[in-house]
């Protein structure tokens, strides 16, 4: 069997991302390992109580992986939300929205009924898209 262990987001600053995911979302640090010889930091976080999948907070690479121009372009694309989307689920979208808003998460929109449930979205400090959904039985009239 093959399972998903981690997914990765490009971030502009690992400390800034760590602060956001742990302080604002309430997630836990799974690993934070610096490898000085490689000038590399392996930083993973995840929701408390769900330890089978982690989010890798990977800095936008520079040389030698990417030249300065490509690194800047990648950081710009991530800031515009082109780096992918993380889909989170919750049992109560409105309550989670209220809780995270109180912690300083800035949402793009309020919880909105959709045929598949109730959802909203926000971006992390690097610009990555995060959708928060309360999944309900499909109801086409709910939108």
């Amino acid at each position: 069997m093959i399972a998903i262990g981690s997914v990765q987001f490009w971030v502009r600053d690992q400390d800034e991302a760590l602060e956001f995911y742990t302080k604002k979302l309430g997630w836990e640090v799974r690993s934070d390992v610096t490898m000085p010889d490689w000038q590399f930091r392996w930083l993973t976080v995840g929701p408390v109580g769900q330890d089978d999948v982690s989010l890798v907070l990977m800095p936008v690479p520079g040389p030698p992986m990417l030249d300065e121009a490509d690194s800047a372009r990648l950081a710009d694309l991530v800031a515009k939300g082109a780096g992918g989307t993380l889909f989170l689920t919750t049992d109560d979208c409105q309550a989670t929205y209220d809780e995270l808003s109180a912690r300083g998460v800035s949402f793009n929109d309020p919880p909105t009924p959709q045929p598949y449930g109730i959802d909203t979205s926000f971006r992390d400090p690097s610009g990555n898209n995060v959708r928060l959904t309360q999944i309900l039985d499909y109801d086409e009239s709910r939108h």
Side-chain angles (χ1 to χ4, degrees):
M1 178 180 145
I2 297 173
I4 296 173
S6 302
V7 294
Q8 174 256 317
F9 264 173
W10 295 119
V11 298
R12 67 176 173 221
D13 180 295
Q14 286 181 303
D15 289 326
E16 177 186 50
L18 179 62
E19 170 99 9
F20 179 81
Y21 283 96
T22 58
K23 304 288 188 220
K24 295 193 176 185
L25 295 191
W27 290 13
E28 63 187 7
V29 176
R30 300 282 169 73
S31 59
D32 188 356
V33 180
T34 300
M35 294 171 253
D37 291 343
W38 297 354
Q39 298 180 352
F40 180 77
R41 180 180 178 195
W42 178 254
L43 177 60
T44 66
V45 296
V48 175
Q50 184 188 13
D51 59 0
D52 60 336
V53 178
S54 296
L55 178 63
V56 181
L57 303 172
M58 188 77 69
V60 172
M65 186 174 191
L66 295 177
D67 62 33
E68 294 291 340
D70 285 342
S71 178
R73 277 192 286 274
L74 177 56
D76 187 49
L77 288 170
V78 171
K80 292 176 179 175
T85 300
L86 179 64
F87 295 90
L88 304 176
T89 59
T90 179
D91 293 335
D92 187 332
C93 192
Q94 184 65 54
T96 304
Y97 172 90
D98 292 343
E99 179 183 343
L100 296 181
S101 293
R103 292 185 194 164
V105 174
S106 179
F107 283 83
N108 300 322
D109 44 26
T112 304
Q114 304 289 347
Y116 51 85
I118 301 169
D119 79 358
T120 184
S121 66
F122 58 91
R123 290 184 180 209
D124 76 4
S126 297
N128 293 297
N129 287 310
V130 181
R131 293 210 68 85
L132 177 66
T133 304
Q134 177 183 348
I135 298 171
L136 300 173
D137 289 337
Y138 185 83
D139 182 347
E140 191 172 296
S141 69
R142 192 178 41 234
H143 61 98

